[in-house]
């Protein structure tokens, strides 16, 4: 079991510019806030935010994010408020925790709706992508401890991870996380298929291991002879879920998958990468059409490496990946490798715009063109707020919209029959300006004759304004009266 010391060790290993006293304080704050609470696994609750923070430190995130990871479940699950977090740890940390609390309110109810919901939240939060990393880290630990939950919940979380989180992690290039998120979900969603595949792989595990060891030895020898410095050389096995998906398009024949095992070679410079490729091709015959130069042409998410597949003994094939240390870093933690620390030790988001573009590109693949255009509009209109229905759907509205705007956005009938509202479960006046993250519920009265013209004084949306004018019985009456006077 991890302790505060485990976290501090990771911080040292990764050489993070972090004030360890502040981390210690945040841990103690979380420990006392969650005092007496336990996880379904029986462990003290604080083990969960601690594991979340450890993942964030491994991803080399900054101090604010690691602290927010430690505090992320406090507003939702304890009596300690966001205001107290802000008082103790500052505005930025409080903002990150607030972002996580809001994302947590989204409930998964079918992929289309959920993607739509997440899209809005993600675009709104693209200004601070750290929230999404905290969410990934949070989810990873929840998946690791999924055994403790009942079946239905387990399946929902696993499916949500596979369909939503993993594609986003992939888009952001965080493969380390992506692979783990997918394989954990795979195990729960398709237990039989998972076991079968694992058994098939285990059957010739030792053969593959020996082959890799042999190649590693031979490659090292050949590279040394050419005076190429090897910084790292290691074998890796393809993640199970991506292998499973590949098998489905390859007739389920393991023999037709060429990258089940790969040899990774890390060398100092780009020139060394190409030299290494030459040495490898000189030693083993390359398979035709399998050479991919992602150095000259990086993948959209920034991934760079040389890939080639070669024939080794007995006609077996092995993929070889050649890269520099910088490329290796990017391949493991993706976008997180690109941010840098300023003098004060906080992360600088110089690539902010690229992230938004990356997210919108991803959306483009998932959604039709009209929705994509709408998403661009949301980017442009910074003065939007995002509020929730009681079922967890996200509605976006102009700033200072009111429950009446919300009601008309949901349905004309709901607008017309509104008599009151609950904001975050508290009765509120219909003219109350809404804030991002509010959960809004409209109280209606079937017998109500129609909208009140006074509402025109405070509504913000055109849709609400038009419908109030059109459907107000008093409106018609006044219009008639006005006509009579003339
Ligand atoms: Mn959590």
């Amino acid at each position: 079991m991890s302790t505060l010391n485990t976290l501090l060790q990771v911080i040292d290993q990764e050489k993070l510019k972090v004030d360890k006293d502040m981390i210690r304080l945040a841990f103690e704050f979380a420990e006392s806030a969650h005092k007496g609470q336990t996880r379904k696994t029986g462990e003290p609750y604080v083990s969960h935010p601690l594991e979340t923070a450890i993942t964030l430190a491994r991803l080399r995130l900054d101090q604010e994010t690691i602290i927010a990871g430690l505090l992320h479940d406090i507003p939702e699950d304890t009596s300690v408020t966001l205001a107290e977090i802000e008082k103790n740890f500052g505005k930025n940390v409080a903002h990150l925790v607030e972002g996580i609390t809001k994302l947590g309110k989204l409930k998964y109810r079918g992929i289309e709706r959920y993607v739509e919901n997440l899209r809005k939240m993600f675009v709104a939060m693209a200004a601070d992508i750290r929230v999404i990393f905290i969410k990934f880290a949070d989810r990873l630990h929840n998946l690791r401890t999924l055994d403790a939950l009942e079946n239905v919940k387990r399946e929902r979380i696993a499916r949500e991870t596979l369909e939503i989180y993993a594609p986003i992690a992939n888009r952001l290039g965080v493969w380390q996380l992506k692979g783990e998120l997918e394989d954990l979900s795979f195990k729960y969603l398709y237990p039989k298929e998972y076991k079968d595949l694992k058994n098939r792989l285990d059957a010739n595990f030792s053969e593959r291991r020996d082959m890799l060891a042999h190649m590693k030895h031979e490659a090292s020898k050949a590279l040394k002879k050419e005076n190429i410095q090897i910084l790292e050389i290691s074998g890796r096995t393809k993640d199970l879920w991506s292998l499973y998906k590949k098998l489905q398009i390859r007739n389920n024949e393991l023999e037709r998958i060429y990258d089940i095992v790969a040899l990774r070679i890390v060398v100092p410079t780009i020139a060394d990468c190409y030299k290494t490729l030459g040495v490898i091709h000189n030693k083993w015959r390359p398979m035709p059409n399998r050479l991919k130069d992602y150095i000259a042409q990086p993948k959209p998410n920034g991934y760079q490496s040389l890939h080639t597949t070669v024939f080794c003994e007995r006609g077996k094939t092995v993929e070889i990946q050649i890269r520099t240390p910088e490329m290796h870093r990017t391949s493991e933690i993706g976008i997180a490798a690109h941010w840098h620390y300023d003098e004060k030790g906080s992360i600088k988001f110089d690539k902010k715009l690229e992230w938004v573009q990356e997210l919108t590109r991803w959306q483009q693949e998932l959604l039709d063109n009209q929705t994509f255009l709408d998403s661009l509009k949301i980017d442009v209109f910074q003065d939007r707020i995002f509020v929730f229905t009681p079922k967890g759907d996200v509605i976006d509205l102009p700033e200072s919209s009111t429950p009446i705007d919300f009601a008309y956005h949901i349905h004309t009938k709901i607008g017309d029959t509104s008599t009151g509202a609950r904001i975050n479960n508290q009765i509120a006046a219909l003219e109350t300006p809404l804030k991002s993250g509010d959960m809004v519920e409209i109280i209606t009265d079937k017998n109500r004759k129609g909208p009140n013209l006074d509402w025109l004084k405070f509504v913000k949306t055109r849709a609400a304004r038009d419908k109030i004018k059109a459907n107000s019985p008093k409106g018609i009456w006044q219009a008639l009266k006005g006509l009579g006077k003339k």
Side-chain angles (χ1 to χ4, degrees), residues 397-466:
L397 294 166
E399 226 166 31
S400 9
S401 286
T402 63
I404 289 293
D405 294 291
F406 174 88
Y408 276 106
H409 186 98
I410 305 274
H411 200 281
T412 308
K413 191 127 195 205
I414 297 182
D416 285 349
T417 56
S418 302
T419 58
R422 262 184 224 108
I423 302 176
N424 305 323
N425 295 318
Q426 303 232 313
I427 294 283
L430 285 170
E431 65 262 36
T432 313
L434 298 172
K435 295 188 303 300
S436 260
D438 281 344
M439 202 260 275
V440 187
E441 197 180 340
I442 299 295
I443 304 159
T444 57
D445 175 1
K446 278 201 305 287
N447 299 321
R448 196 186 162 101
K449 290 283 179 296
N452 185 335
L453 275 179
D454 287 343
W455 293 349
L456 288 173
K457 290 180 197 147
F458 56 76
V459 291
K460 287 287 175 299
T461 51
R462 197 198 165 108
R465 193 177 305 277
D466 290 349

Side-chain angles (χ1 to χ4, degrees), residues 380-398:
V380 174
F381 294 129
Q382 292 269 310
D383 50 344
R384 307 285 291 183
I385 55 164
F386 296 83
V387 295
F388 296 88
T389 69
K391 284 178 178 167
D393 281 321
V394 183
I395 307 290
D396 65 289
L397 294 166

Side-chain angles (χ1 to χ4, degrees), residues 357-374:
Q357 282 167 358
E358 192 53 56
L359 288 171
T360 30
R361 252 202 299 280
W362 169 70
Q363 291 151 20
Q364 196 173 18
E365 284 166 24
L366 274 171
L367 305 163
D368 62 51
N369 277 334
Q370 185 51 51
T371 333
F372 176 60
L373 287 177
D374 287 344

Side-chain angles (χ1 to χ4, degrees), residues 250-390:
R250 294 273 190 283
N251 242 345
N252 210 16
E253 295 169 55
L254 264 187
E255 303 69 40
R256 292 179 61 196
I257 313 276
Y258 304 118
D259 59 348
I260 295 177
V261 287
L263 193 65
R264 256 175 209 161
I265 307 176
V266 182
V267 290
T269 66
I270 290 178
D272 291 330
C273 290
Y274 289 104
K275 263 195 250 169
T276 302
L277 184 71
V279 172
I280 295 292
H281 281 179
N282 196 28
K283 179 129 195 70
W284 293 285
R285 191 162 57 84
M287 207 177 158
N289 303 320
R290 292 284 306 175
L291 172 63
K292 289 173 208 147
D293 186 348
Y294 294 121
I295 293 180
Q297 281 179 306
K299 288 190 181 182
N301 51 19
Y303 177 82
Q304 288 189 295
S305 268
L306 295 174
H307 286 193
T308 184
T309 304
V310 299
F311 292 101
C312 47
E313 296 87 75
R314 282 169 271 145
K316 294 269 182 224
T317 57
V318 172
E319 184 176 89
I320 303 204
Q321 304 170 348
I322 307 161
R323 51 179 74 148
T324 66
E326 293 76 42
M327 294 173 195
H328 187 55
R329 183 104 217 132
T330 304
S331 80
E332 284 189 315
I333 62 177
I335 227 156
H338 292 302
W339 50 53
H340 64 270
Y341 294 91
D342 65 10
E343 324 73 58
K344 281 182 279 168
S346 51
I347 275 178
K348 272 281 157 285
F349 295 96
D350 48 353
K351 297 223 168 187
K352 183 175 136 188
L353 198 67
E354 278 174 47
W355 292 335
V356 176
Q357 282 167 358
E358 192 53 56
L359 288 171
T360 30
R361 252 202 299 280
W362 169 70
Q363 291 151 20
Q364 196 173 18
E365 284 166 24
L366 274 171
L367 305 163
D368 62 51
N369 277 334
Q370 185 51 51
T371 333
F372 176 60
L373 287 177
D374 287 344
S375 77
L376 285 182
K377 280 187 213 143
I378 291 170
D379 284 349
V380 174
F381 294 129
Q382 292 269 310
D383 50 344
R384 307 285 291 183
I385 55 164
F386 296 83
V387 295
F388 296 88
T389 69

Side-chain angles (χ1 to χ4, degrees), residues 30-79:
E31 201 176 32
S32 93
H34 290 294
K35 202 180 170 89
Q37 297 175 344
T38 50
R39 296 273 289 171
K40 288 266 163 62
T41 55
E43 286 177 295
Y45 195 91
V46 76
S47 65
H48 165 67
L50 177 65
E51 293 294 348
T52 305
I54 289 172
T55 301
L56 292 167
R58 289 218 165 91
L59 287 170
R60 309 195 74 246
L61 280 135
D62 66 339
Q63 176 170 319
E64 287 170 356
T65 315
I66 297 170
I67 292 180
L70 285 169
L71 308 178
H72 81 271
D73 275 329
I74 291 180
E76 192 73 13
D77 297 338
T78 78
S79 58

